[in-house]
Amino acid sequence: MTEKQLLARDAKRDIGAELLLSVRQMKAGKGKVVARVDVPAVTVARLKSGLSQGDFANLLGVSVRTLQDWEQGRRQPSGAARTLITIAEQQPKVLKQVLKSLAAA
C-alpha cells in the first residue's frame, strides 16, 4: 500500500473500538495462543528419576554433552540407551538404587 492509501485506511479506523473488541475476545477465551513443547523421553526419564544430568549420564554410560544433545533433540539415543531410558522412565526408583549400588562399590 502506498502512504496515501495507508493514511486513508487509518482515518476510517476506530482504534478504541478495535482494542475494546480485542479485550472482550481475550476475556471470552478467544484468540488464545497455546504453545506445545514436546519433551524428549530422555528428559522425562531424568526428571522422574530426580537425578542431575551428570548422575543420569553416568548411569547411562554417556557423557553429559551426549545427554544434553539428546535432551535438546540434536541427537537420538542408540538402541541400548533407549532401552535404559525406557526403564528409567517407567521405574525411576530402579535408577536411584543402581546409583546407590555403584556408589557403595
Side-chain angles (χ1 to χ4, degrees):
M1 296 180 101
T2 66
E3 184 72 23
K4 187 176 180 179
Q5 290 171 326
L6 287 172
L7 289 172
R9 181 202 66 186
D10 290 347
K12 297 175 188 174
R13 292 177 71 186
D14 183 354
I15 300 295
E18 290 178 29
L19 288 172
L20 186 57
L21 176 63
S22 293
V23 169
R24 287 181 179 146
Q25 289 173 338
M26 286 189 302
K27 284 185 174 181
K30 295 180 182 175
K32 287 184 181 177
V33 176
V34 178
R36 291 189 183 259
V37 178
D38 291 327
V39 179
V42 65
T43 306
V44 172
R46 183 178 64 78
L47 293 174
K48 280 185 177 180
S49 71
L51 298 174
S52 67
Q53 284 184 330
D55 288 340
F56 197 75
N58 186 36
L59 279 173
L60 295 177
V62 298
S63 69
V64 173
R65 180 62 187 238
T66 297
L67 178 64
Q68 290 170 343
D69 285 345
W70 292 346
E71 288 190 352
Q72 294 173 8
R74 290 190 296 258
R75 294 180 57 205
Q76 296 298 314
S78 67
R82 273 195 312 262
T83 302
L84 288 172
I85 290 165
T86 301
I87 292 169
E89 188 175 5
Q90 294 177 4
Q91 300 293 325
K93 291 179 183 179
V94 171
L95 248 59
K96 288 183 179 181
Q97 291 172 348
V98 171
L99 186 61
K100 286 179 185 176
S101 298
L102 290 175

